[in-house]
C-alpha cells in the first residue's frame, strides 16, 4: 500500500515536471562573437544601467548588452545593462519618473511628455537617439502567390476595408503577370497597443495619397480584420490563415516563413531587404537638423519615392537626458551607447534589424558624445 | 496562481472507511458540557487568557485588514477612473468604441468588453460545472481510495499550471484541433445565435468558443476541489440510512450526497466563475480582437475587460489614459462582486428552506 502510494506520488511529480519543462522555450543562444577588441567604450561610470520600454528593440538590446559586457570584460571591467521590454509607453513613463536611466521607445518623446522628461533631466532636454531600425514587412499568405507588389495606396485601402478581395483591379494593376485569386482578404492587426501599429499607420497616412483617413496611434484604427496578440501572434495568425495579410517586423515574418510584399513607391517595386531598408535610413531627415536631439521626420521617409529605398521602416529610439544625469550615470550611458553603435551593430542583421548606415552612425556618435556629464567630471 | 483552494485534508476516501462514524458522538457530549460551564460564570471574565486575547486580536485584525484592503481597491479604482470618465465623450456603459490615445479627445465604452467577459465566463462555467460534478462524485463516492487520491491530485495539478501555458496551448495546439468541430457547429447549427457566424474567424480559432473551452479547463479544478470536499463531508448516518433502506449507490448519491453538498457545489462554481471573469493571460493570448460589434455569437472575437487592460498596458502614456482602463477594471470589480453576492444569496436561500 505504502509502496504503491509513493510510486503514485513519484509518477505525479514526474508528470508535473514534464508539464513544467514543456513551457521552457527560452531562446538563450548567445548573440555571438562580436569583435570587441577595438571597442571605444570607456566602460567607466555607473556599472549597472537600467532601461525599459519598446519590446521591438528587445533583441537588439540583448545583443548590445552582451557585446558591451564582452567589450568591458576585455578591459577588466564588469558592467551590465538591465532592459525591461515593458512597452514604449511604460518606458517613457518610467524614464520621466526617474526609475530607469534610459527608455527605449518606438516613437520620439514629444509634447507634454518631453516637458516632463526635461524636469527629470534637471531642466535639460531629453534626447531621442535612433539606434535600432527594423523594416516592417507586409506579410501575406496567398495560396499560389509568391510575389506580391503593393503600393502605399493599395495597402491603405486593404487595411481600411476599401479593397476586400485579392483580385481587386487596383492590386492586379500592380501585379501584372500574377494570377491573383478571387478570395476575400483577411486583415490581421496587433490587438495590443504597439509602436509598430503607430509607425505603420503613420506610414499609411503619409504614403496613401489621402486614402488613409483614420489617423495614427498605437491602436489599430482601420476598422477591419482581427487582432492577434503581439508580433508573434499576428505572424502566426497569417501563417495559418490563407488569404491573409498583416504588418509585422521582418524578423517575425521570416521566422514564420511568410512572404513579404514589395512596395511600389512610384519609382518601381522595392523588395524588402537590408540594403533597401538601409537606403531609406540613410536618407532619413531629422526634425531638428544639426541638434543633438535626433528625432526623425519619418513622414518624409514614408512618402519618399527614392528608387530602391524600402520606405516602411520602424525606427526606435533610446531616450536619454542631454544633460543633468549624475556624473557616473552620464559616463555609463555614453559608454554603453558608444559600444552599441560600434561593436553592438555586428550580428544585428541576423536578428532582423538593419545596422546603422555609416553616415548615419556619425551623426548618432556625435550626439552621444554631446551628452553632458555633470561638470564635476 | 494563488487562487487554488487550500485543502487542509487530503482525505478523499471519505468517512465510510472510518467505520460506524463513532468519533463525533463519543467526544461531543463532554465538549458540550464543558462549553456550558465555561460560558456560565457570569460577569467574571476570568476565562480570558493571553492566548485567547492574542488569537482573537489576530483573527479580528486579519478580517479587518481584508475588508480595508477591498475597500481600498474600490476607492483606488474610483479615484483613478473619475478623471478619465470626466473626459469621456461617449456613454461609458453603452458605447463600444475604445479610443484613448488622445486624452483631449477620449471616447471609450465598456459595453462590448462587458458582454464578451460575461459570455466567455458563463460559457466556460456551463461546460465546467457538469464535468466537475461528475469528477467530484466519482472521487468522493465511486472511486476506490487508491484511485481517488491520485485522481484528486491530478485534478488539483490542473490548477497549478500557469495560465500563460493554457494560453499558448489554446492558441497553438487546441484552436487548430477544435477548428473542424467549430466549423461543423457553425455550418449545421448556425441558425442558433450562439453558433452563427460572428466577427471572428471560425476556422482560425481565436474566438470566444475556443477561449471558453480553455477557460472551462482552467476553472475545473476549483469547482471540483470545493465540491469534492463538501461531498466527502456528507454525514455517514445519512448514507447508512439510505443504504439501510435499500438504496443503490446512485440513489444514495441522489438522496444524500447531492442535497447535502448542493450549496458547496454552487459556491465552488461561483469561485470558478470569479476566476473566469478575472482570467487574463489565457484570453489575452487566445482571443483575437475585432473592430466589429459584438453579436452574442460564440464565434465572435473581442477582448474581455481583463485582457483589454493587459493589451493596452504597454502603451499607457499618462494617468488619464490608464484611468480609462481602470474604469473598465472597476466594472469588472463590481461585476464580480454582484456575481458573488448573488451566489451567496442563492446558497443562503436554499439553506433557509
Amino acid at each position: 500500500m505504502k509502496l504503491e502510494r509513493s510510486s503514485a506520488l513519484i509518477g505525479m511529480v514526474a508528470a508535473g515536471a514534464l508539464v513544467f519543462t514543456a513551457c521552457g522555450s527560452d531562446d538563450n543562444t548567445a548573440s555571438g562573437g562580436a569583435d570587441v577588441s577595438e571597442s571605444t567604450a570607456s566602460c567607466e561610470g555607473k556599472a549597472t544601467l537600467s532601461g525599459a520600454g519598446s519590446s521591438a528593440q528587445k533583441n537588439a538590446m540583448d545583443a548590445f548588452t552582451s557585446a558591451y559586457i564582452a567589450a568591458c570584460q576585455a578591459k577588466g571591467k564588469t558592467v551590465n545593462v538591465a532592459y525591461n521590454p515593458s512597452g514604449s509607453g511604460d518606458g517613457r513613463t518610467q524614464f520621466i519618473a526617474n526609475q530607469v536611466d534610459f527608455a527605449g521607445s518606438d516613437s520620439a518623446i514629444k509634447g507634454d511628455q518631453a516637458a516632463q522628461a526635461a524636469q527629470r533631466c534637471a531642466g535639460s532636454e531629453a534626447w531621442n537617439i535612433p539606434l535600432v531600425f527594423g523594416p516592417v514587412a507586409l506579410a501575406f499568405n496567398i495560396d499560389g502567390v509568391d510575389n506580391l507588389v503593393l503600393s502605399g495606396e493599395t495597402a491603405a485601402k486593404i487595411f481600411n476595408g476599401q479593397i476586400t478581395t485579392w483580385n481587386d483591379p487596383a492590386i492586379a494593376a500592380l501585379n501584372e503577370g500574377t494570377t491573383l485569386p478571387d478570395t476575400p482578404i483577411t486583415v490581421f492587426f496587433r490587438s495590443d497597443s504597439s509602436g509598430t501599429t503607430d509607425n505603420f499607420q503613420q506610414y499609411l497616412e503619409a504614403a496613401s495619397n489621402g486614402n488613409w483617413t483614420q489617423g495614427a496611434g498605437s491602436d489599430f484604427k482601420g476598422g477591419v480584420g482581427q487582432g492577434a496578440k503581439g508580433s508573434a501572434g499576428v505572424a502566426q495568425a497569417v501563417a495559418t490563415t490563407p488569404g491573409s495579410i498583416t504588418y509585422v517586423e521582418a524578423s517575425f515574418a521570416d521566422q514564420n516563413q511568410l512572404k513579404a510584399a514589395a512596395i511600389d513607391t512610384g519609382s518601381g517595386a522595392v523588395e524588402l531587404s537590408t540594403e533597401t531598408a538601409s537606403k531609406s535610413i540613410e536618407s532619413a531627415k531629422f526634425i531638428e537638423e544639426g541638434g543633438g536631439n535626433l528625432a526623425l521626420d519619418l513622414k518624409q521617409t514614408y512618402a519618399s519615392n527614392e528608387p530602391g529605398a524600402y520606405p516602411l521602416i520602424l525606427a526606435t529610439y533610446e531616450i536619454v537626458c542631454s544633460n543633468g544625469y549624475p556624473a557616473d550615470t552620464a559616463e555609463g550611458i555614453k559608454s554603453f551607447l558608444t559600444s552599441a553603435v560600434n561593436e553592438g551593430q555586428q550580428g544585428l542583421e541576423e536578428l532582423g534589424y538593419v545596422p546603422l548606415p555609416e553616415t548615419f552612425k556619425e551623426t548618432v556618435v556625435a550626439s552621444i558624445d554631446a551628452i553632458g556629464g555633470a561638470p564635476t567630471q | 496562481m494563488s487562487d487554488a483552494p487550500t485543502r487542509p485534508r487530503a482525505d478523499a476516501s471519505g468517512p465510510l472507511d472510518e467505520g460506524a462514524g463513532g468519533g463525533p458522538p463519543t467526544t461531543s457530549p463532554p465538549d458540550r458540557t464543558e462549553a456550558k460551564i465555561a460560558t456560565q460564570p457570569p460577569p467574571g471574565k476570568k476565562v480570558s487568557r493571553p492566548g485567547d486575547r492574542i488569537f482573537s486580536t489576530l483573527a479580528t485584525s486579519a478580517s479587518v485588514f481584508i475588508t480595508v484592503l477591498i475597500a481600498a481597491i474600490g476607492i483606488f479604482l474610483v479615484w483613478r477612473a473619475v478623471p478619465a470618465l470626466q473626459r469621456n465623450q461617449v456613454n461609458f456603459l453603452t458605447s463600444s468604441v475604445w479610443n484613448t490615445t488622445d486624452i483631449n479627445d477620449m471616447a471609450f465604452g465598456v459595453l462590448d468588453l462587458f458582454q464578451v467577459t460575461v459570455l466567455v465566463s458563463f460559457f466556460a462555467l456551463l461546460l465546467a460545472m457538469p464535468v466537475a460534478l461528475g469528477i467530484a462524485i466519482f472521487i468522493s463516492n465511486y472511486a476506490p481510495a487508491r484511485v481517488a487520491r491520485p485522481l484528486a491530485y491530478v485534478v488539483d495539478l490542473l490548477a497549478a499550471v500557469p495560465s500563460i501555458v493554457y494560453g499558448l496551448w489554446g492558441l497553438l495546439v487546441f484552436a487548430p484541433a477544435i477548428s473542424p468541430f467549430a466549423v461543423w457547429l457553425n455550418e449545421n447549427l448556425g441558425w442558433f445565435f450562439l453558433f452563427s457566424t460572428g466577427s471572428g474567424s471560425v476556422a482560425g480559432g481565436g474566438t470566444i468558443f475556443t477561449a471558453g473551452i480553455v477557460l472551462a479547463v482552467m476553472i475545473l479544478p476549483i469547482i471540483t476541489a470545493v465540491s469534492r470536499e463538501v461531498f466527502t463531508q456528507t454525514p455517514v448516518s445519512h448514507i447508512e440510512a439510505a443504504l439501510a433502506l435499500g438504496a443503490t449507490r446512485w440513489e444514495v448519491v441522489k438522496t444524500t450526497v447531492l442535497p447535502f453538498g448542493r450549496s458547496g457545489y454552487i459556491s465552488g462554481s461561483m469561485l470558478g466563475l470569479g476566476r473566469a471573469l478575472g482570467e487574463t493571460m489565457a484570453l489575452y493570448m487566445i482571443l483575437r480582437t475585432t473592430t466589429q460589434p459584438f453579436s452574442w455569437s460564440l464565434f465572435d472575437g473581442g477582448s474581455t475587460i481583463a485582457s483589454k487592460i493587459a493589451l493596452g498596458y504597454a502603451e499607457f502614456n499618462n494617468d488619464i489614459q490608464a484611468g480609462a482602463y481602470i474604469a473598465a477594471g472597476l466594472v469588472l470589480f463590481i461585476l464580480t462582486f454582484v456575481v458573488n453576492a448573488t451566489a451567496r444569496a442563492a446558497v443562503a436561500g436554499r439553506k433557509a428552506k
Side-chain angles (χ1 to χ4, degrees):
Chain A
M1 186 71 180
K2 264 211 174 119
L3 188 68
E4 275 163 4
R5 196 171 292 167
S6 59
S7 63
L9 199 67
I10 291 168
M12 297 308 311
V13 172
L18 275 177
V19 169
F20 291 117
T21 47
C23 336
S25 65
D26 283 10
D27 185 7
N28 291 327
T29 45
S31 61
D35 179 16
V36 296
S37 52
E38 290 168 23
S39 171
T40 49
S42 68
C43 301
E44 298 287 343
K46 192 172 175 183
T48 308
L49 295 170
S50 61
S54 162
S55 51
Q57 55 173 275
K58 176 188 178 284
N59 291 338
M61 202 46 80
D62 288 349
F64 292 163
T65 305
S66 60
Y68 183 49
I69 290 172
C72 290
Q73 235 162 19
K75 296 186 174 184
K77 297 268 169 55
T78 310
V79 292
N80 200 6
V81 179
Y83 183 78
N84 179 10
S86 54
S88 301
D90 184 60
R92 292 193 296 268
T93 314
Q94 286 200 41
F95 178 75
I96 288 168
N98 210 348
Q99 287 162 342
V100 289
D101 297 322
F102 67 95
S105 174
D106 297 344
S107 49
I109 196 164
K110 54 185 182 249
D112 281 355
Q113 280 195 318
Q116 288 171 306
Q119 246 171 28
R120 181 247 144 116
C121 297
S124 306
E125 190 187 9
W127 280 354
N128 301 285
I129 300 184
L131 207 56
V132 182
F133 288 90
V136 174
L138 290 172
F140 64 93
N141 175 357
I142 315 172
D143 285 335
V145 177
D146 286 335
N147 295 302
L148 182 72
V149 182
L150 295 173
S151 63
E153 196 174 327
T154 47
K157 284 179 172 172
I158 289 173
F159 281 92
N160 66 14
Q162 292 181 51
I163 294 179
T164 54
T165 51
W166 282 113
N167 63 354
D168 191 279
I171 306 179
L174 292 164
N175 293 276
E176 279 167 31
T178 311
T179 321
L180 291 163
D182 178 25
T183 50
I185 301 177
T186 308
V187 169
F188 282 104
F189 58 87
R190 292 277 297 269
S191 60
D192 48 335
S193 301
S194 147
T196 312
T197 305
D198 192 16
N199 274 264
F200 178 63
Q201 294 189 126
Q202 283 177 28
Y203 164 75
L204 294 180
E205 210 171 16
S208 67
N209 297 327
N211 280 292
W212 182 265
T213 52
Q214 280 83 351
S218 51
D219 291 317
F220 182 71
K221 293 176 176 161
V224 289
Q226 304 171 45
K229 149 77 185 107
S231 301
V234 285
Q236 191 264 342
V238 170
T240 54
T241 315
S244 59
I245 186 166
T246 191
Y247 55 93
V248 65
E249 291 89 332
S251 54
F252 288 92
D254 292 344
Q255 275 166 23
N256 286 277
Q257 277 112 40
L258 298 176
K259 293 161 203 110
I263 294 183
D264 189 336
T265 54
S267 30
V270 186
E271 294 281 343
L272 192 170
S273 73
T274 308
E275 289 73 40
T276 54
S278 192
K279 197 164 179 193
S280 236
I281 299 167
E282 233 166 312
S283 55
K285 300 274 186 295
F286 302 107
I287 292 174
E288 301 168 21
E289 288 293 341
N293 186 358
L294 302 181
L296 292 163
D297 182 11
L298 283 170
K299 279 211 176 80
Q300 241 174 47
T301 312
Y302 289 153
S304 148
N305 59 358
E306 191 181 337
Y310 183 85
L312 184 45
I313 50 170
L314 174 69
T316 71
Y317 301 90
E318 310 312 323
I319 297 171
V320 297
C321 288
S322 59
N323 210 329
Y325 277 127
D328 65 330
T329 310
E331 190 61 34
I333 290 273
K334 282 168 84 164
S335 166
F336 170 59
L337 293 180
T338 307
S339 160
V341 291
N342 291 306
E343 58 268 16
Q345 298 293 313
Q346 298 164 22
L348 273 193
E349 206 174 325
E350 291 146 42
L351 297 171
Y353 300 101
V354 182
L356 295 177
E358 260 331 296
T359 48
F360 194 88
K361 190 159 140 185
E362 282 163 24
T363 324
V364 172
V365 168
S367 182
I368 292 169
D369 287 342
I371 294 175
T376 51
Q377 189 190 341
Chain B
M1 293 295 296
S2 60
D3 43 5
T6 47
R7 289 180 59 248
R9 290 183 334 125
D11 183 7
S13 57
L16 268 175
D17 292 350
E18 287 165 24
T26 50
T27 52
S28 56
D31 277 349
R32 254 176 237 146
T33 43
E34 215 170 81
K36 266 180 194 160
I37 292 164
T39 49
Q40 261 172 5
K45 295 173 193 165
K46 282 169 196 163
V47 275
S48 173
R49 299 201 175 86
D52 272 326
R53 264 177 275 132
I54 293 170
F55 186 75
S56 75
T57 316
L58 282 177
T60 314
S61 50
S63 63
V64 168
F65 173 72
I66 193 71
T67 316
V68 170
L69 192 67
I70 289 175
I73 292 173
I75 292 167
F76 167 82
L77 290 174
V78 172
W79 176 55
R80 294 291 296 272
V82 165
L85 288 172
Q86 280 170 344
R87 286 166 181 257
N88 195 0
Q89 295 176 353
V90 294
N91 188 318
F92 177 61
L93 294 177
T94 58
S95 167
S96 302
V97 296
W98 195 271
N99 199 345
T100 58
T101 319
D102 180 358
I103 60 166
N104 294 315
D105 183 23
M106 288 176 106
F108 57 95
V110 80
L111 183 67
D112 273 7
L113 301 179
F114 181 83
Q115 289 177 328
V116 171
T117 308
V118 168
L119 179 61
V120 77
S121 304
F122 278 91
F123 178 56
L125 191 68
L126 191 75
L127 294 178
M129 274 180 75
V131 180
L133 183 66
I135 299 173
I137 291 176
F138 177 76
I139 292 178
S140 62
N141 287 280
Y142 283 82
R146 229 188 310 159
V147 179
R149 194 182 291 252
L151 186 64
Y153 279 131
V154 172
V155 175
D156 284 354
L157 199 68
L158 281 179
V161 178
S163 55
I164 181 91
V165 175
Y166 280 113
L168 285 171
W169 171 75
L171 177 71
L172 301 173
V173 180
F174 184 68
I178 197 77
S179 152
F181 179 60
V183 171
W184 182 86
L185 278 180
N186 181 237
E187 280 170 0
N188 293 284
L189 297 170
W191 47 268
F192 186 54
F193 72 97
L194 281 180
F195 301 117
S196 60
T197 305
S199 59
S201 148
V202 178
T207 55
I208 292 173
F209 180 74
T210 314
I213 298 175
V214 173
L215 209 49
V217 178
M218 296 176 73
I219 63 175
L220 196 59
I222 296 173
I223 307 179
T224 308
V226 175
S227 312
R228 187 190 66 216
E229 282 301 311
V230 178
F231 290 166
T232 55
Q233 310 285 326
T234 311
V236 180
S237 52
H238 291 194
I239 296 173
E240 284 177 347
L243 286 172
L245 291 170
T248 62
R249 204 165 224 182
W250 154 238
E251 283 162 347
V252 169
V253 169
K254 195 174 73 173
T255 54
T256 64
V257 177
L258 287 183
F260 180 82
R262 187 175 289 141
S263 62
Y265 175 56
I266 291 175
S267 42
S269 302
M270 289 307 123
L271 273 179
L273 181 61
R275 167 149 197 212
L277 288 170
E279 175 53 39
T280 310
M281 216 12 139
L283 297 172
Y284 172 68
M285 303 295 297
I286 297 170
L287 266 186
R288 297 225 168 110
T289 59
T290 174
T291 45
Q292 288 153 37
F294 181 65
S295 64
W296 285 103
S297 162
L298 287 175
F299 300 119
D300 271 331
S303 46
T304 66
I305 294 175
S307 72
K308 182 74 183 176
I309 297 172
L311 287 167
Y313 168 73
E315 299 294 328
F316 286 173
N317 283 320
N318 49 59
D319 282 355
I320 297 190
Q321 194 186 355
Y325 289 84
I326 288 174
L330 182 64
V331 172
L332 180 61
F333 185 73
I334 295 168
L335 174 66
T336 315
F337 201 80
V338 168
V339 163
N340 276 326
T342 316
R344 283 193 183 277
V347 171
R350 221 177 275 278
K351 268 184 189 157
K353 273 179 195 170

